[in-house]
Amino acid sequence: MSAPSTAQRTHTTTPHDPGLSRRTLGVPAITLMIIAASAPLTVVAGGVTTSFAVTESLGVPLGFLLIAVILTVFAVGYTAMGRHVTNAGAFYAYISQGLSRPLGVGASLIALVSYNAMQVGIYGLFGFQLSMFLEAKLGVSSPWWVWILLCIVVVGVLGVNRVDLSAKVLGVLVGLEFLVVIVFDVVSFSAAPEGVSTAALDPSALFGPALGIILVFGVAAFMGFEGAAIYGEEAKDPKRTVPRATYTAIAIIGIFYAFSAWAFSVGVGPSAIVGASQEFGPDLMFVFMTEQTGVIFSDIMTLLFLTSLFASLQAFHNAVARYFFSLGREGVLPAWFARTSRAGAPWAGSVAQTAIALVVVVAFILGGEVFGGAAGLGESAFLFPVLTMFTWLTNTGAMGLVLLMAITAVAVIGYFARDRRGLSIWVTVVAPALSGAALLWVFVMILQNFPLMLGQAEPDATTFLLPGMVFAAAAIGIVWALVMRSRSPRQYAQIGHGTEPGAYGTELVDVVAE
């Protein structure tokens, strides 16, 4: 083998690139970042009312519990594999090692598209809500996109700093979210115009014709729970911290959302919750609290709704940055993406995500303000960032992540088929198979109901283009992996194995072409 040339070298370790920070995050910190991604107040205010309105069923609370059960079963194999594969690429690494490297690279691009779509989509709702709040309370009229651009800067600054700083900020915001939702729950049970009814807890309300749609709209509330594995390299004890954080987050999210959805039905009344949700949408929570507690507390809730969105933006930003880091380290993307700061933050990946957010937001600004997209909505023109950016992108992201989880469940079976490592057949086969089948069914239901999720009376171009982004990403990733296999076998061999002995270890090393 000849000496490596400059062109053959993908990266040279320097003191300025120490890799991700190690032994930084404990169970509470990772759990809080997972919960922040799911945005509790946003789910209760927006997700619960949307589910009641669209499904016209009282089965929404039990739907959250059923999804939590499915994801808990999924986590059995997912966390078991995580004890043996620690990689910031998570889904990408698991599928690479459990199925094949080409499928792993395809999965990595699905993950990048999905996490970016979730993150950028939430900006649309954030900018709209803040603009409307300022206009209502201060009489200040401002474009929705101004606040998005400012928020992108703040999220980007936090993203290039130590991850524990983000965790502390998110911890405070999530704590406030939980507090205000708990107050809402208490007020709901106090109001109870029809008494503390258990109608929404009747299994027959869930297991009926609306079951599939309830799960389709409910599963998005859990997106981000799988993120514990993304922080595995930064966890204090990956083999214990990641599983504990995953199970803790699923339990907290599932029980909290189910209880709050039940409280919502009690507060408004089981016979009225569907109609009220259809009339007021996400504003129902704030209308209800204004009637019950006054304007001041409702305004506080609105502010915390905004911080809930901000916390979710930060959590998804962190996830994208770590995916970029993992793919850059292993040669799937240019090595620049693997650069980290002295503090161990994946600053290059963070900058890349910030740039993507900026480009997509500018595209929506131009589409709405310059090319007449907003005007085309008629009386709903002011809702442009919600009806397009938020609705299109977050639903696309949720769809892609559900698909990734279904494939990962199969990858767990493939990984342990070679060596069960002393684990039971429940952990290595049965749990992954059951959860994989359930998640695949949910994914198919999402595809079938995608026009409904986008609020479309009839399918149009976006009905096919948005899911097409996910499938196109998978195809491009698979083809790129095959190109790598023929052009650079050694780099190809590193796919999904970047943290193992003999690969990159705890530092970046030169990759030399054979």
Side-chain angles (χ1 to χ4, degrees), residues 130-166:
L130 183 51
S131 176
M132 295 298 291
F133 180 76
L134 292 175
E135 184 172 358
K137 297 302 174 183
L138 302 178
V140 177
S141 179
S142 56
W144 53 268
W145 47 267
V146 168
W147 305 110
I148 294 178
L149 296 177
L150 290 174
C151 188
I152 288 175
V153 173
V154 177
V155 169
V157 169
L158 284 174
V160 297
N161 280 282
R162 286 177 59 89
V163 69
D164 52 344
L165 174 61
S166 290

Side-chain angles (χ1 to χ4, degrees), residues 50-369:
T50 300
S51 294
F52 277 127
V54 175
T55 65
E56 299 184 340
S57 168
L58 290 179
V60 174
L62 290 182
F64 284 119
L65 290 181
L66 180 56
I67 295 169
V69 169
I70 293 172
L71 297 182
T72 299
V73 176
F74 168 77
V76 170
Y78 182 66
T79 57
M81 188 171 178
R83 292 186 177 96
H84 304 284
V85 180
T86 302
N87 191 302
F91 287 143
Y92 149 73
Y94 293 1
I95 294 172
S96 294
Q97 295 201 34
L99 294 176
S100 70
R101 289 175 174 83
L103 286 178
V105 176
S108 74
L109 295 195
I110 293 178
L112 284 178
V113 168
S114 300
Y115 281 121
N116 272 298
M118 292 290 289
Q119 203 263 1
V120 179
I122 293 169
Y123 274 123
L125 183 57
F126 177 85
F128 170 80
Q129 287 293 136
L130 183 51
S131 176
M132 295 298 291
F133 180 76
L134 292 175
E135 184 172 358
K137 297 302 174 183
L138 302 178
V140 177
S141 179
S142 56
W144 53 268
W145 47 267
V146 168
W147 305 110
I148 294 178
L149 296 177
L150 290 174
C151 188
I152 288 175
V153 173
V154 177
V155 169
V157 169
L158 284 174
V160 297
N161 280 282
R162 286 177 59 89
V163 69
D164 52 344
L165 174 61
S166 290
K168 291 173 183 176
V169 172
L170 297 182
V172 172
L173 298 180
V174 169
L176 292 173
E177 285 184 67
F178 270 89
L179 180 61
V180 76
V181 175
I182 290 171
V183 172
F184 166 77
D185 292 344
V186 172
V187 171
S188 294
F189 282 111
S190 299
E194 300 176 29
V196 182
S197 170
T198 58
L201 302 181
D202 186 344
S204 64
L206 173 64
F207 294 102
L211 174 61
I213 302 178
I214 290 173
L215 297 185
V216 163
F217 278 87
V219 74
F222 290 79
M223 291 302 96
F225 92 92
E226 76 293 337
I230 295 174
Y231 299 100
E233 295 181 45
E234 298 159 276
K236 291 181 178 179
D237 183 355
K239 295 183 184 299
R240 293 181 175 85
T241 302
V242 171
R244 290 175 182 174
T246 301
Y247 285 118
T248 301
I250 294 173
I252 291 175
I253 291 172
I255 295 172
F256 188 72
Y257 289 167
F259 183 82
S260 296
W262 175 41
F264 219 143
S265 73
V266 171
V268 179
S271 65
I273 185 63
V274 170
S277 295
Q278 292 172 335
E279 179 181 357
F280 293 102
D283 287 336
L284 178 59
M285 185 179 193
F286 305 102
V287 171
F288 173 80
M289 290 302 285
T290 299
E291 294 174 350
Q292 299 295 325
T293 64
V295 176
I296 294 177
F297 190 80
S298 179
D299 288 345
I300 292 173
M301 289 185 64
T302 302
L303 289 173
L304 290 176
F305 180 76
L306 290 166
T307 62
S308 171
L309 294 171
F310 175 81
S312 184
L313 287 166
Q314 191 67 55
F316 280 117
H317 174 91
N318 291 344
V320 173
R322 280 150 184 80
Y323 258 93
F324 274 127
F325 167 82
S326 179
L327 297 175
R329 173 180 59 192
E330 297 171 23
V332 177
L333 293 179
W336 178 86
F337 287 100
R339 292 181 179 176
T340 59
S341 66
R342 289 184 175 87
W347 71 264
S350 181
V351 170
Q353 202 286 319
T354 299
I356 289 172
L358 186 61
V359 169
V360 176
V361 168
V362 169
F364 274 96
I365 294 171
L366 294 175
E369 305 291 327

